Amino acid sequence: MIDFTIPPEHEALRARVAAFVAGEVMPIEQALCGGHIDEEGLASVQARARALGLWTPQLPVEWGGLGAGPLAMVLVNQELGASAIAPLALNCAPPNEANMLLLLAAASPEQKERYLRPLADGRIRSCFAMTEKAAGSDLSGIRTRAVRAGAGWILDGEKWFIGGARTAGFAVVVASTNPQAPPQQGMTLFLVDTNTPGWEVVREIPSLGTHTPGGSCEVRLTGCRVPRGAVLGPEGGAMPLVQERLGQARLAHCMRWIGVCQKALDLAATRALHRETFGAPLAQHQAVQLMLADAAIDLYASRLMVLNCAWLLEQAKPHRPEIAMTKVFVSEALSRIVDRAIQIHGSLGYSGDLPLERYYRDARGARIYDGPSEVLRMSIALDVLKAAARRS
């Protein structure tokens, strides 16, 4: 039976994170000058997070974390989501969070000490180099190649829109090691130090959303030589690891988006109570009431979908189709809720005086990265058709 009762220790953690965001993070949120995160301000709140015992909640205690599981992280991320700084402050922002969990699951002891330890400590950052301009979401189209050379490998290829690449200390690179095999058997993960000759960040790609540390970059690998020990997981075994990583990243995004949705709805409701037009508060106009109601319905459904996925993960039950459906629904609900909040605020919502303008820009990317809505719908439909075929 699914039980949505929140354990007391999870609620206590949520309350501590909420107090930290309200008291430590939001007062410096305006450091997002022009959409760029101020590194000095970020360092100060990271120090406070460490001092308050909130650092890296998603990792086990032996790796400097709090041992928070999927359900606890739902509550944590909902409090962090409305701020661009807060996930970074707790060291659980993408792409580092998903890379930490990937390393925890698949890395050798030596790889964990070399890469996971400094990443968990916040001494370095990382990136995940999978996407390519031509391939997009079609992993079978990946053209980056890794060829054996002596005691190691040589990587050649180009990667596109790699988050955090400019400031990353290392990258997890998806490359083909057997072009004749299907992607499920021919792809391998490599750990590549970004100071390796042949690794080149070509440029940061200008984009619509908030600029995060390291940007979204175009990367080129040219004769990039790595040792045998750079292989992460089994040779040819990238796809199961990639799919699990993407699933966890998608759900974490949804957790944070719920925080954005709640903040947008709170702002809209407050505006409706205090803004008067045509002799009455906006809250008394039926059109505004309908927008608030629809936003609340979207938020309620999103929250329950995310909680259900977290429950499936904690119970070690199959979860791939549920996470796909949740990512599609919550990413689209995010756009709808923020759009309604801007409409209720009128020109104030359209301005940079409120965070809604930033939320709106960030929301557009939610339906693209970590799986476009259309590709995920294809996957969901195939599951529906397979189930129907089994019944017929």
Side-chain angles (χ1 to χ4, degrees):
M1 183 179 70
I2 299 175
D3 183 1
F4 288 128
T5 302
I6 303 300
E9 63 272 20
H10 291 2
E11 173 56 26
L13 176 60
R14 184 210 62 78
R16 289 172 58 206
V17 172
F20 170 74
V21 173
E24 306 282 347
V25 177
M26 297 311 293
I28 67 167
E29 186 76 12
Q30 292 305 313
L32 279 171
C33 180
H36 284 66
I37 291 173
D38 174 66
E39 290 282 357
E40 185 176 340
L42 174 59
S44 71
V45 293
Q46 286 179 327
R48 285 294 295 155
R50 291 176 189 270
L52 293 170
L54 297 174
W55 183 255
T56 320
Q58 74 277 9
L59 285 183
V61 174
E62 58 266 31
W63 289 98
L66 302 181
L71 179 57
M73 286 307 298
V74 168
L75 304 177
V76 168
N77 275 311
Q78 286 180 20
E79 298 296 338
L80 300 178
S83 164
I85 296 176
L88 292 161
L90 267 63
N91 200 25
C92 56
N96 293 323
E97 179 187 27
N99 282 348
M100 289 182 213
L101 297 176
L102 173 63
L103 290 166
L104 191 65
S108 68
E110 295 79 10
Q111 289 171 334
K112 287 178 181 176
E113 286 300 325
R114 179 169 179 174
Y115 296 105
L116 178 57
R117 183 72 67 185
L119 192 60
D121 291 345
R123 290 183 275 124
I124 62 171
R125 292 172 180 159
S126 66
C127 63
F128 188 72
M130 178 179 70
T131 304
E132 297 182 6
K133 192 181 297 187
S137 296
D138 180 9
L139 299 185
S140 66
I142 286 179
R143 295 291 177 262
T144 297
R145 299 285 183 255
V147 179
R148 290 184 184 275
W153 299 81
I154 294 179
L155 280 67
D156 289 279
E158 296 182 348
K159 297 295 183 178
W160 173 255
F161 232 80
I162 306 307
R166 177 70 74 184
T167 57
F170 73 93
V172 180
V173 178
V174 183
S176 172
T177 48
N178 185 355
Q180 284 70 47
Q184 292 78 7
Q185 302 167 11
M187 298 288 179
T188 302
L189 296 180
F190 292 88
L191 293 165
V192 179
D193 294 318
T194 56
N195 61 1
T196 303
W199 169 276
E200 177 191 4
V201 175
V202 178
R203 64 177 178 129
E204 288 192 36
I205 303 166
S207 58
L208 188 65
T210 301
H211 181 278
T212 54
S216 295
C217 300
E218 184 176 356
V219 173
R220 183 179 298 127
L221 295 96
T222 308
C224 188
R225 184 182 291 270
V226 297
R228 180 185 304 152
V231 174
L232 176 61
E235 181 182 336
M239 285 305 100
L241 295 173
V242 166
Q243 292 300 333
E244 184 62 24
R245 183 196 180 280
L246 284 174
Q248 293 176 339
R250 288 165 183 159
L251 188 59
H253 282 310
C254 291
M255 297 174 190
R256 289 184 288 269
W257 294 336
I258 286 173
V260 177
C261 291
Q262 184 67 66
K263 180 65 173 178
L265 180 57
D266 290 345
L267 287 170
T270 301
R271 177 70 168 177
L273 287 170
H274 298 289
R275 169 69 168 169
E276 290 194 5
T277 61
F278 302 103
L282 288 176
Q284 293 183 18
H285 296 305
Q286 189 178 48
V288 173
Q289 293 173 356
L290 295 176
M291 284 191 282
L292 291 171
D294 286 341
I297 292 166
D298 270 341
L299 179 55
Y300 179 60
S302 297
R303 204 183 300 274
L304 289 180
M305 293 178 80
V306 170
L307 286 171
N308 181 56
C309 287
W311 180 83
L312 291 172
L313 284 170
E314 293 213 334
Q315 300 298 315
K317 293 180 179 291
H319 52 265
R320 183 187 57 80
E322 287 82 4
I323 288 181
M325 288 186 278
T326 300
K327 201 272 182 178
V328 170
F329 185 87
V330 180
S331 66
E332 296 179 359
L334 169 66
S335 292
R336 293 192 294 267
I337 291 171
V338 173
D339 185 79
R340 294 176 188 126
I342 289 175
Q343 196 70 12
I344 289 171
H345 281 82
S347 60
L348 179 60
Y350 195 67
S351 76
D353 290 350
L354 293 178
L356 294 173
E357 178 267 344
R358 175 171 64 81
Y359 295 166
Y360 194 71
R361 288 185 285 111
D362 291 343
R364 186 59 188 88
R367 288 155 40 209
I368 298 174
Y369 55 74
D370 281 348
S373 295
E374 293 75 16
V375 172
L376 293 176
R377 280 187 165 93
M378 288 168 55
S379 174
I380 294 163
L382 288 174
D383 288 333
V384 172
L385 293 170
K386 289 176 183 177
R390 288 194 298 268
R391 293 193 300 268
S392 60

